[in-house]
Amino acid sequence: MKFNEKLVLNSYLLSLLGVDSFEELAKDLKSSQLEELDESDNSLFYHQLSNNISVKRKISNDKLQMYDENIVRHTKDIGRDIKWKYFQYLSLLFIEIYLDKYFESKAQLLEDLNSYLREFNTDIDSNEKLVRYDETELNKLALYNATGSGKTLLLHINILQFNHYAKGKIKINKTVLITPNEGLSNQHLEEFQASNIDAEIFSKEGKGLFESNAIEIIEITKLGEDTSGDGKTVSVDSFEDNNLVFIDEGHRGAKGEIWKTNRDKLSKNGFAFEYSATFAQAINSATGVKKKNLENEYTKAIIFDYSYKYFYNDGYGKDYSILNLSEDSDDIKQTYLTASLLSFYQQMKIYESSKVILKPYLIEKPLMVFVGSSVNAVRKSSGKDVSDVVDVLLFIDGFIKSKTESIANIEKILSFDSGLKTTKGVDIFENKFSFLENIKLNASQLFDDMLNLIFNASNGVLHIENLKGIDGEIALRIGENEYFGIINVGDSDKLAKICEANGMNVASRDFSSSLFKTINDTTSNLNILVGSKKFSEGWSSWRVSTMGLMNIGKKEGSQIIQLFGRGVRLKGYDFCLKRSRAIRGKELERKYQAVETLNIFGLKADYMKA
C-alpha cells in the first residue's frame, strides 16, 4: 500500500464525519461561496456539513456548531480578515474534533483508535499492518498539507485551539516553535506579529526562554545535548519535557537523526504539532527498520492529508511544465539554457505589456531562479574549477558576450530546430513561444530586448560583485547598469575566487543592506536569483516563474518537492489561490481577454536539470 493509503488517524476522523474518503467529504464544500459567515457568525461550511445527514456520521450538529464557533472566534482573534478555503477549514475542524476527544478522555480516545485500527488492519497485508496505538503516541499530530496551502496560518489557529481545550487540564512549560533555519525563524516572527501573537527568537542570553510566556522560536540546530560555550546552542533538558511544540518542515530529521530525538524530548509529556508538505517523501527515503518505524509513527499521527495532488487537482497554484535535460554536452546545455532564458523573457514581456489586465489576478513580476545542489561544490571542467553556480554565470556571461551565437540559438529555438526532441520526435520547444511569435520581433531584436528587460542593460560585460558587509551575497550587473541578479550563498568569498579563476570580472563592494531581502519589493529590478537548495526552506516569494534545477531532482524526494513549492505559489484572482481556468465562470466571462492572456502566459514554471 502507498503511504497515503495507510493514514489511519486521518481515516478515523473521516469516519467520524460519516465518509470513507477525503474526496467524498470535500465534494460539496469546494464552492467559494461557503467561505462566508452567516448573520449569526457561523460559517457556511458548518451549514453544509450539518445539512449533509448521514447515518454513519458520529459527530452531532451541536458539536459541529461548537467546533465552528471556536474556529470563527480564533480566526477573529488573530485579526487578519481571513476567509478559509475548504481544505483549511477541514484541517482546523479535524484538530477541533481530536483535541476535544483527547482532553475529554484520553483513555476513551485510545480505545476508540485501537478499535478502528483493528478494523483498518484487515485491509492491509500482514507484513504491513500497523502496530496498535500506545497512550504515548496520542500527544502528536501532523498536518500533511501542500506548500502554499497556508500551513503558517493554520499553525496560529492550532495554538489557540490547543490553549482553549488544554486550559486547566495540562501543565505546559513553554510553547516552542522549531524551524530548520534562521531565515524561516524570522519569517515566522513576522507572521506571529501580524497575528497579534506574542513570540520571540531564541536567545540564550535573553531572559525570554525561562521567564517569558511568549512563543519561543528556535532553529533545530540550536538544540543539543549540552549547552555550548559559544551561546549558540542550548540543552534540550533546559526546556523540560512538558512543552507545547510546533515543528515547521516536520520532515527534517524524520529519518531518525539526533534532531528528531531532541525535538521529541521537548514534548514527551506535553503535546506536538508537525507540519510538512513532504512526509511521504522523507519517510520513503529511509530504509529498513527505521523506515518501518517512521511509517508506523506518522501514519498514526497525520490527522489531515491535503498533499500536493489534492492541491493541484483543486486548481490551486500555478500550472507548470517540466522539461528534463538528459544529456549535458556544451552545445545542448547552451541551447537549453538559452531556451530557459527565452521562456523567462516571454513571461516578463507578457507581464510588462499586460499589467492592467493582470492586476486583478495579483500576478507578481516574474523571477527566474537557478538552484544548484551545492553552491561551492567544485569539480573540474576543461581543466578549471567550476560549480553549479559558476556554470550558470559562465552561461550568462557567454550569452551576453557572444551576441552572434546567442542570436543564432534564439533563431533555431523559435523555428523549432533546436535539436532537442521528445521521444515522439517533436521539438521540445514547439508551441512554447506563441506570445513571442505574435510580437513579430526577429532574433536580433529579441536579443537586444532581452538585454534590456532581463539584464537592465543595452550592452556590456558581466560584473560579479562580492558585497562586503552583507553575509553571503554576490550581486550581478552588466557594466555599470543597475543590478539584475543576486547570488545568495553560504561562502561568498570562496565562490568569488572560483569565478575569478574562470576569467570573470570579480570585484568587492561595501554594501549596507541586503539585496536579497528586496526581491519581493514591488520596485525590485532584480530578475534572477541564484543559490543552493537552501531555497527549499525558509524563503517564500510569489514571483518565481521559471526555475532551473542543476544536478538535483533526479528522483522524487523532500527537497525537490519543497523546491517545486517555491515555484507554484499563486495569489490568484481576489486571492483565491487558483489558476485562471479554475476561477468562477462569471468572472471568466467578464474578463475573457485577461484569461486568454493568462493562458498564453501559462503561469508556468519551466524546470531543467543539467
Side-chain angles (χ1 to χ4, degrees):
M1 292 177 70
K2 294 179 180 178
F3 176 79
N4 66 296
E5 295 172 337
K6 297 182 182 180
L7 305 181
V8 62
L9 180 60
N10 176 245
S11 181
Y12 169 69
L13 267 293
L14 289 169
S15 75
L16 294 180
L17 291 168
V19 296
D20 297 321
S21 67
F22 173 73
E23 290 86 351
E24 185 182 351
L25 178 64
K27 63 181 172 63
D28 296 324
L29 298 174
K30 295 185 179 184
S31 171
S32 59
Q33 295 174 353
L34 298 178
E35 295 167 13
E36 306 293 337
L37 301 179
D38 67 12
E39 63 279 0
S40 301
D41 268 359
N42 281 122
S43 78
L44 300 188
F45 289 124
Y46 154 69
H47 288 293
Q48 185 66 38
L49 287 167
S50 61
N51 290 335
N52 187 12
I53 305 299
S54 167
V55 294
K56 295 192 294 182
R57 175 151 64 87
K58 300 178 179 65
I59 306 293
S60 69
N61 280 353
D62 287 344
K63 280 285 190 181
L64 282 177
Q65 184 172 5
M66 182 188 80
Y67 298 145
D68 183 76
E69 289 172 352
N70 288 343
I71 293 170
V72 171
R73 184 178 68 258
H74 296 324
T75 303
K76 288 185 175 182
D77 285 345
I78 66 173
R80 296 186 66 163
D81 191 27
I82 296 168
K83 291 183 179 179
W84 297 114
K85 306 301 176 191
Y86 87 92
F87 58 88
Q88 295 167 331
Y89 181 86
L90 289 177
S91 297
L92 297 174
L93 177 62
F94 278 34
I95 297 293
E96 282 284 323
I97 296 170
Y98 186 90
L99 291 178
D100 185 22
K101 288 183 170 294
Y102 180 85
F103 284 106
E104 184 178 34
S105 173
K106 227 189 297 189
Q108 185 62 54
L109 176 61
L110 180 64
E111 183 180 329
D112 292 345
L113 284 171
N114 278 325
S115 175
Y116 186 83
L117 187 146
R118 281 193 297 273
E119 183 180 344
F120 189 84
N121 267 338
T122 59
D123 296 325
I124 301 178
D125 289 343
S126 57
N127 62 329
E128 294 189 89
K129 290 187 187 298
L130 303 177
V131 180
R132 62 182 281 109
Y133 274 92
D134 183 88
E135 186 177 345
T136 60
E137 295 178 294
L138 300 182
N139 68 338
K140 181 167 84 171
L141 297 175
L143 276 76
Y144 182 20
N145 289 18
T147 299
S149 63
K151 291 190 290 294
T152 299
L153 290 175
L154 294 179
L155 185 155
H156 293 183
I157 303 298
N158 293 160
I159 293 171
L160 302 182
Q161 288 177 299
F162 182 88
N163 290 339
H164 169 75
Y165 283 104
K167 190 174 182 179
K169 296 181 179 179
I170 184 174
K171 185 180 185 305
I172 292 294
N173 177 42
K174 293 291 296 182
T175 300
V176 181
L177 169 61
I178 299 175
T179 73
N181 56 54
E182 188 177 332
L184 201 50
S185 292
N186 290 324
Q187 191 175 309
H188 274 291
L189 182 62
E190 292 175 7
E191 291 287 349
F192 278 132
Q193 291 167 346
S195 293
N196 301 313
I197 295 175
D198 193 15
E200 59 191 24
I201 301 292
F202 160 75
S203 170
K204 194 179 151 225
E205 288 76 24
K207 66 179 182 179
L209 177 60
F210 305 106
E211 298 178 18
S212 170
N213 289 322
I215 295 166
E216 199 73 29
I217 307 171
I218 185 169
E219 292 87 68
I220 188 67
T221 52
K222 291 180 180 176
L223 289 171
E225 294 296 318
D226 302 301
T227 300
S228 69
D230 60 9
K232 292 182 179 179
T233 61
V234 64
S235 169
V236 177
D237 295 334
S238 301
F239 288 86
E240 301 181 11
D241 63 4
N242 59 328
N243 303 286
L244 173 58
V245 180
F246 295 85
I247 302 156
D248 196 7
E249 307 295 0
H251 61 277
R252 287 290 298 267
K255 287 191 283 185
E257 295 94 332
I258 188 65
W259 289 351
K260 186 174 187 305
T261 302
N262 287 340
R263 74 191 197 193
D264 287 349
K265 277 184 181 180
L266 292 177
S267 59
K268 182 178 179 182
N269 289 305
F271 205 93
F273 290 82
E274 294 191 21
Y275 308 82
S276 177
T278 58
F279 281 119
Q281 290 78 16
I283 291 167
N284 286 335
S285 65
T287 57
V289 175
K290 188 181 292 184
K291 178 179 179 179
K292 192 169 184 64
N293 290 340
L294 285 169
E295 192 173 74
N296 184 70
E297 176 182 349
Y298 281 94
T299 51
K300 294 192 290 185
I302 292 174
I303 190 170
F304 198 77
D305 175 15
Y306 193 71
S307 44
Y308 183 73
K309 65 176 181 178
Y310 296 117
F311 185 75
Y312 181 80
N313 288 338
D314 276 343
Y316 294 108
K318 298 173 187 171
D319 204 350
Y320 60 89
S321 172
I322 299 175
L323 298 176
N324 291 327
L325 185 62
S326 58
E327 298 180 57
D328 62 353
S329 70
D330 288 342
D331 287 345
I332 289 177
K333 194 154 56 177
Q334 192 73 12
T335 301
Y336 196 100
L337 288 169
T338 300
S340 184
L341 199 62
L342 197 61
S343 176
F344 175 62
Y345 164 72
Q346 177 173 246
Q347 292 173 335
M348 289 194 70
K349 195 69 175 172
I350 295 170
Y351 176 81
E352 292 296 327
S353 63
S354 311
K355 284 183 179 178
V356 175
I357 294 173
L358 294 174
K359 189 174 181 180
Y361 295 88
L362 305 180
I363 303 296
E364 300 283 346
K365 181 181 179 182
L367 176 71
M368 186 174 203
V369 176
F370 283 104
V371 186
S373 60
S374 178
V375 171
N376 288 329
V378 177
R379 64 182 185 278
K380 290 288 184 182
S381 178
S382 302
K384 292 183 179 179
D385 288 341
V386 295
S387 72
D388 293 333
V389 169
V390 172
D391 271 348
V392 173
L393 298 180
L394 287 170
F395 161 71
I396 292 173
D397 192 33
F399 178 85
I400 295 164
K401 286 195 299 190
S402 305
K403 181 175 180 178
T404 302
E405 182 184 343
S406 296
I407 290 172
N409 271 332
I410 292 171
E411 200 161 41
K412 70 179 184 178
I413 289 165
L414 293 180
S415 61
F416 312 133
D417 188 28
S418 69
L420 298 173
K421 298 185 181 299
T422 68
T423 53
K424 295 182 179 179
V426 179
D427 190 277
I428 65 172
F429 302 119
E430 189 168 331
N431 300 322
K432 296 287 185 183
F433 298 104
S434 53
F435 183 85
L436 296 186
E437 292 170 22
N438 290 332
I439 62 176
K440 306 298 184 185
L441 295 180
N442 63 38
S444 179
Q445 291 169 320
L446 286 172
F447 176 84
D448 290 339
D449 200 34
M450 289 171 76
L451 286 189
N452 175 56
L453 202 57
I454 298 175
F455 300 109
N456 304 325
S458 57
N459 57 60
V461 296
L462 178 64
H463 287 261
I464 297 167
E465 296 184 357
N466 194 2
L467 303 183
K468 296 297 184 181
I470 307 298
D471 187 33
E473 290 191 20
I474 295 176
L476 306 174
R477 69 161 93 218
I478 305 300
E480 293 302 313
N481 294 290
E482 193 168 1
Y483 293 121
F484 72 84
I486 186 76
I487 305 173
N488 190 273
V489 296
D491 190 343
S492 56
D493 290 338
K494 182 177 179 181
L495 180 60
K497 288 177 182 176
I498 301 172
C499 291
E500 198 167 20
N502 278 272
M504 287 182 271
N505 296 296
V506 179
S508 295
R509 175 170 292 202
D510 291 328
F511 225 71
S512 58
S513 58
S514 168
L515 271 182
F516 175 69
K517 290 181 179 178
T518 69
I519 282 178
N520 290 329
D521 294 351
T522 55
T523 56
S524 174
N525 284 312
L526 295 172
N527 300 318
I528 296 178
L529 170 63
V530 185
S532 69
K533 50 195 176 185
K534 64 182 276 188
F535 290 124
S536 63
E537 296 165 342
W539 181 72
S540 177
S541 177
W542 301 102
R543 290 185 59 191
V544 180
S545 62
T546 302
M547 186 179 288
L549 305 180
M550 301 163 290
N551 295 313
I552 54 177
K554 294 176 181 177
K555 60 181 179 179
E556 184 183 25
S558 294
Q559 287 179 333
I560 192 65
I561 301 297
Q562 290 287 321
L563 278 168
F564 183 76
R566 301 308 99 184
V568 297
R569 292 168 183 260
L570 177 68
K571 291 179 184 176
Y573 185 87
D574 197 24
F575 226 110
C576 69
L577 307 183
K578 288 194 172 186
R579 302 185 290 282
S580 60
R581 293 179 186 178
I583 298 170
R584 289 171 295 203
K586 62 182 180 180
E587 290 152 0
L588 289 180
E589 290 169 15
R590 274 204 318 267
K591 298 183 180 292
Y592 178 79
Q593 184 184 6
V595 173
E596 286 306 298
T597 302
L598 286 170
N599 286 338
I600 296 170
F601 185 44
L603 301 179
K604 294 187 185 301
D606 289 323
Y607 292 74
M608 61 78 72
K609 63 181 183 193

PDB file of all heavy atoms in Angstrom, residues 476-495:
ATOM      1  N   LEU A 476      24.959  40.876  -9.258  1.00  0.00           N
ATOM      2  CA  LEU A 476      25.285  40.739 -10.679  1.00  0.00           C
ATOM      3  C   LEU A 476      24.784  41.961 -11.434  1.00  0.00           C
ATOM      4  O   LEU A 476      23.644  42.402 -11.244  1.00  0.00           O
ATOM      5  CB  LEU A 476      24.624  39.481 -11.254  1.00  0.00           C
ATOM      6  CG  LEU A 476      24.911  38.157 -10.540  1.00  0.00           C
ATOM      7  CD1 LEU A 476      24.061  37.036 -11.143  1.00  0.00           C
ATOM      8  CD2 LEU A 476      26.384  37.796 -10.615  1.00  0.00           C
ATOM      9  N   ARG A 477      25.643  42.495 -12.291  1.00  0.00           N
ATOM     10  CA  ARG A 477      25.232  43.606 -13.139  1.00  0.00           C
ATOM     11  C   ARG A 477      25.984  43.551 -14.455  1.00  0.00           C
ATOM     12  O   ARG A 477      27.033  42.907 -14.575  1.00  0.00           O
ATOM     13  CB  ARG A 477      25.459  44.943 -12.446  1.00  0.00           C
ATOM     14  CG  ARG A 477      26.933  45.329 -12.268  1.00  0.00           C
ATOM     15  CD  ARG A 477      27.096  46.814 -12.018  1.00  0.00           C
ATOM     16  NE  ARG A 477      27.116  47.189 -10.622  1.00  0.00           N
ATOM     17  CZ  ARG A 477      26.563  48.279 -10.141  1.00  0.00           C
ATOM     18  NH1 ARG A 477      25.906  49.084 -10.962  1.00  0.00           N
ATOM     19  NH2 ARG A 477      26.639  48.571  -8.864  1.00  0.00           N
ATOM     20  N   ILE A 478      25.441  44.240 -15.463  1.00  0.00           N
ATOM     21  CA  ILE A 478      26.121  44.378 -16.748  1.00  0.00           C
ATOM     22  C   ILE A 478      26.726  45.769 -16.806  1.00  0.00           C
ATOM     23  O   ILE A 478      26.001  46.770 -16.717  1.00  0.00           O
ATOM     24  CB  ILE A 478      25.137  44.183 -17.926  1.00  0.00           C
ATOM     25  CG1 ILE A 478      24.412  42.838 -17.814  1.00  0.00           C
ATOM     26  CG2 ILE A 478      25.884  44.283 -19.254  1.00  0.00           C
ATOM     27  CD1 ILE A 478      25.315  41.630 -17.830  1.00  0.00           C
ATOM     28  N   GLY A 479      28.051  45.839 -16.927  1.00  0.00           N
ATOM     29  CA  GLY A 479      28.725  47.134 -16.931  1.00  0.00           C
ATOM     30  C   GLY A 479      28.423  47.890 -15.655  1.00  0.00           C
ATOM     31  O   GLY A 479      28.491  47.350 -14.554  1.00  0.00           O
ATOM     32  N   GLU A 480      28.032  49.151 -15.790  1.00  0.00           N
ATOM     33  CA  GLU A 480      27.689  49.979 -14.639  1.00  0.00           C
ATOM     34  C   GLU A 480      26.182  50.143 -14.488  1.00  0.00           C
ATOM     35  O   GLU A 480      25.712  51.061 -13.813  1.00  0.00           O
ATOM     36  CB  GLU A 480      28.351  51.358 -14.785  1.00  0.00           C
ATOM     37  CG  GLU A 480      29.870  51.316 -14.691  1.00  0.00           C
ATOM     38  CD  GLU A 480      30.349  50.707 -13.373  1.00  0.00           C
ATOM     39  OE1 GLU A 480      29.821  51.099 -12.310  1.00  0.00           O
ATOM     40  OE2 GLU A 480      31.240  49.839 -13.414  1.00  0.00           O
ATOM     41  N   ASN A 481      25.434  49.264 -15.118  1.00  0.00           N
ATOM     42  CA  ASN A 481      23.982  49.343 -15.042  1.00  0.00           C
ATOM     43  C   ASN A 481      23.465  48.825 -13.702  1.00  0.00           C
ATOM     44  O   ASN A 481      24.224  48.302 -12.882  1.00  0.00           O
ATOM     45  CB  ASN A 481      23.355  48.550 -16.191  1.00  0.00           C
ATOM     46  CG  ASN A 481      23.662  49.159 -17.541  1.00  0.00           C
ATOM     47  OD1 ASN A 481      23.147  50.228 -17.870  1.00  0.00           O
ATOM     48  ND2 ASN A 481      24.523  48.518 -18.331  1.00  0.00           N
ATOM     49  N   GLU A 482      22.160  48.949 -13.497  1.00  0.00           N
ATOM     50  CA  GLU A 482      21.543  48.511 -12.254  1.00  0.00           C
ATOM     51  C   GLU A 482      21.656  46.991 -12.097  1.00  0.00           C
ATOM     52  O   GLU A 482      21.650  46.258 -13.079  1.00  0.00           O
ATOM     53  CB  GLU A 482      20.061  48.921 -12.271  1.00  0.00           C
ATOM     54  CG  GLU A 482      19.384  48.813 -10.928  1.00  0.00           C
ATOM     55  CD  GLU A 482      18.021  49.494 -10.920  1.00  0.00           C
ATOM     56  OE1 GLU A 482      17.608  50.018 -11.968  1.00  0.00           O
ATOM     57  OE2 GLU A 482      17.379  49.478  -9.864  1.00  0.00           O
ATOM     58  N   TYR A 483      21.761  46.534 -10.855  1.00  0.00           N
ATOM     59  CA  TYR A 483      21.849  45.098 -10.591  1.00  0.00           C
ATOM     60  C   TYR A 483      20.632  44.380 -11.178  1.00  0.00           C
ATOM     61  O   TYR A 483      19.497  44.821 -11.011  1.00  0.00           O
ATOM     62  CB  TYR A 483      21.905  44.816  -9.091  1.00  0.00           C
ATOM     63  CG  TYR A 483      23.174  45.301  -8.416  1.00  0.00           C
ATOM     64  CD1 TYR A 483      23.117  46.224  -7.364  1.00  0.00           C
ATOM     65  CD2 TYR A 483      24.417  44.843  -8.825  1.00  0.00           C
ATOM     66  CE1 TYR A 483      24.277  46.665  -6.733  1.00  0.00           C
ATOM     67  CE2 TYR A 483      25.585  45.288  -8.205  1.00  0.00           C
ATOM     68  CZ  TYR A 483      25.505  46.196  -7.158  1.00  0.00           C
ATOM     69  OH  TYR A 483      26.656  46.636  -6.551  1.00  0.00           O
ATOM     70  N   PHE A 484      20.899  43.254 -11.849  1.00  0.00           N
ATOM     71  CA  PHE A 484      19.804  42.439 -12.379  1.00  0.00           C
ATOM     72  C   PHE A 484      19.633  41.136 -11.627  1.00  0.00           C
ATOM     73  O   PHE A 484      18.601  40.463 -11.744  1.00  0.00           O
ATOM     74  CB  PHE A 484      20.027  42.125 -13.868  1.00  0.00           C
ATOM     75  CG  PHE A 484      21.140  41.133 -14.126  1.00  0.00           C
ATOM     76  CD1 PHE A 484      20.908  39.764 -14.054  1.00  0.00           C
ATOM     77  CD2 PHE A 484      22.426  41.565 -14.422  1.00  0.00           C
ATOM     78  CE1 PHE A 484      21.928  38.850 -14.282  1.00  0.00           C
ATOM     79  CE2 PHE A 484      23.450  40.654 -14.647  1.00  0.00           C
ATOM     80  CZ  PHE A 484      23.200  39.297 -14.573  1.00  0.00           C
ATOM     81  N   GLY A 485      20.653  40.739 -10.839  1.00  0.00           N
ATOM     82  CA  GLY A 485      20.585  39.448 -10.169  1.00  0.00           C
ATOM     83  C   GLY A 485      21.340  39.431  -8.865  1.00  0.00           C
ATOM     84  O   GLY A 485      22.155  40.319  -8.574  1.00  0.00           O
ATOM     85  N   ILE A 486      21.052  38.408  -8.078  1.00  0.00           N
ATOM     86  CA  ILE A 486      21.710  38.238  -6.786  1.00  0.00           C
ATOM     87  C   ILE A 486      22.003  36.763  -6.561  1.00  0.00           C
ATOM     88  O   ILE A 486      21.184  35.904  -6.902  1.00  0.00           O
ATOM     89  CB  ILE A 486      20.829  38.801  -5.635  1.00  0.00           C
ATOM     90  CG1 ILE A 486      21.570  38.763  -4.300  1.00  0.00           C
ATOM     91  CG2 ILE A 486      19.508  38.075  -5.552  1.00  0.00           C
ATOM     92  CD1 ILE A 486      22.591  39.824  -4.154  1.00  0.00           C
ATOM     93  N   ILE A 487      23.186  36.472  -6.044  1.00  0.00           N
ATOM     94  CA  ILE A 487      23.544  35.111  -5.634  1.00  0.00           C
ATOM     95  C   ILE A 487      23.527  35.087  -4.119  1.00  0.00           C
ATOM     96  O   ILE A 487      24.158  35.923  -3.467  1.00  0.00           O
ATOM     97  CB  ILE A 487      24.941  34.704  -6.144  1.00  0.00           C
ATOM     98  CG1 ILE A 487      25.028  34.880  -7.653  1.00  0.00           C
ATOM     99  CG2 ILE A 487      25.253  33.263  -5.765  1.00  0.00           C
ATOM    100  CD1 ILE A 487      26.428  34.668  -8.208  1.00  0.00           C
ATOM    101  N   ASN A 488      22.792  34.153  -3.542  1.00  0.00           N
ATOM    102  CA  ASN A 488      22.700  34.020  -2.092  1.00  0.00           C
ATOM    103  C   ASN A 488      23.380  32.717  -1.702  1.00  0.00           C
ATOM    104  O   ASN A 488      22.900  31.629  -2.035  1.00  0.00           O
ATOM    105  CB  ASN A 488      21.229  34.027  -1.668  1.00  0.00           C
ATOM    106  CG  ASN A 488      21.053  34.124  -0.175  1.00  0.00           C
ATOM    107  OD1 ASN A 488      21.057  33.113   0.514  1.00  0.00           O
ATOM    108  ND2 ASN A 488      20.901  35.334   0.333  1.00  0.00           N
ATOM    109  N   VAL A 489      24.515  32.809  -1.036  1.00  0.00           N
ATOM    110  CA  VAL A 489      25.335  31.632  -0.739  1.00  0.00           C
ATOM    111  C   VAL A 489      25.825  31.659   0.701  1.00  0.00           C
ATOM    112  O   VAL A 489      25.721  32.671   1.379  1.00  0.00           O
ATOM    113  CB  VAL A 489      26.563  31.553  -1.688  1.00  0.00           C
ATOM    114  CG1 VAL A 489      26.143  31.367  -3.115  1.00  0.00           C
ATOM    115  CG2 VAL A 489      27.444  32.783  -1.544  1.00  0.00           C
ATOM    116  N   GLY A 490      26.404  30.548   1.125  1.00  0.00           N
ATOM    117  CA  GLY A 490      26.983  30.499   2.459  1.00  0.00           C
ATOM    118  C   GLY A 490      28.366  31.122   2.512  1.00  0.00           C
ATOM    119  O   GLY A 490      28.715  31.836   3.445  1.00  0.00           O
ATOM    120  N   ASP A 491      29.184  30.857   1.489  1.00  0.00           N
ATOM    121  CA  ASP A 491      30.571  31.341   1.460  1.00  0.00           C
ATOM    122  C   ASP A 491      30.792  32.140   0.183  1.00  0.00           C
ATOM    123  O   ASP A 491      31.214  31.614  -0.845  1.00  0.00           O
ATOM    124  CB  ASP A 491      31.527  30.144   1.531  1.00  0.00           C
ATOM    125  CG  ASP A 491      32.979  30.567   1.743  1.00  0.00           C
ATOM    126  OD1 ASP A 491      33.282  31.755   1.523  1.00  0.00           O
ATOM    127  OD2 ASP A 491      33.794  29.703   2.101  1.00  0.00           O
ATOM    128  N   SER A 492      30.491  33.421   0.231  1.00  0.00           N
ATOM    129  CA  SER A 492      30.591  34.257  -0.965  1.00  0.00           C
ATOM    130  C   SER A 492      32.044  34.474  -1.380  1.00  0.00           C
ATOM    131  O   SER A 492      32.345  34.598  -2.572  1.00  0.00           O
ATOM    132  CB  SER A 492      29.915  35.607  -0.725  1.00  0.00           C
ATOM    133  OG  SER A 492      30.457  36.257   0.406  1.00  0.00           O
ATOM    134  N   ASP A 493      32.969  34.505  -0.421  1.00  0.00           N
ATOM    135  CA  ASP A 493      34.386  34.714  -0.752  1.00  0.00           C
ATOM    136  C   ASP A 493      34.928  33.557  -1.592  1.00  0.00           C
ATOM    137  O   ASP A 493      35.643  33.771  -2.576  1.00  0.00           O
ATOM    138  CB  ASP A 493      35.226  34.857   0.523  1.00  0.00           C
ATOM    139  CG  ASP A 493      34.945  36.156   1.265  1.00  0.00           C
ATOM    140  OD1 ASP A 493      34.442  37.098   0.614  1.00  0.00           O
ATOM    141  OD2 ASP A 493      35.219  36.225   2.476  1.00  0.00           O
ATOM    142  N   LYS A 494      34.574  32.341  -1.224  1.00  0.00           N
ATOM    143  CA  LYS A 494      35.047  31.176  -1.966  1.00  0.00           C
ATOM    144  C   LYS A 494      34.496  31.171  -3.383  1.00  0.00           C
ATOM    145  O   LYS A 494      35.220  30.916  -4.354  1.00  0.00           O
ATOM    146  CB  LYS A 494      34.640  29.887  -1.240  1.00  0.00           C
ATOM    147  CG  LYS A 494      35.138  28.616  -1.924  1.00  0.00           C
ATOM    148  CD  LYS A 494      34.763  27.375  -1.124  1.00  0.00           C
ATOM    149  CE  LYS A 494      35.241  26.104  -1.825  1.00  0.00           C
ATOM    150  NZ  LYS A 494      34.859  24.884  -1.074  1.00  0.00           N
ATOM    151  N   LEU A 495      33.196  31.476  -3.514  1.00  0.00           N
ATOM    152  CA  LEU A 495      32.595  31.493  -4.838  1.00  0.00           C
ATOM    153  C   LEU A 495      33.214  32.583  -5.705  1.00  0.00           C
ATOM    154  O   LEU A 495      33.466  32.380  -6.898  1.00  0.00           O
ATOM    155  CB  LEU A 495      31.081  31.718  -4.730  1.00  0.00           C
ATOM    156  CG  LEU A 495      30.315  31.758  -6.052  1.00  0.00           C
ATOM    157  CD1 LEU A 495      30.482  30.445  -6.820  1.00  0.00           C
ATOM    158  CD2 LEU A 495      28.841  32.048  -5.825  1.00  0.00           C
TER     159      LEU A 495
END
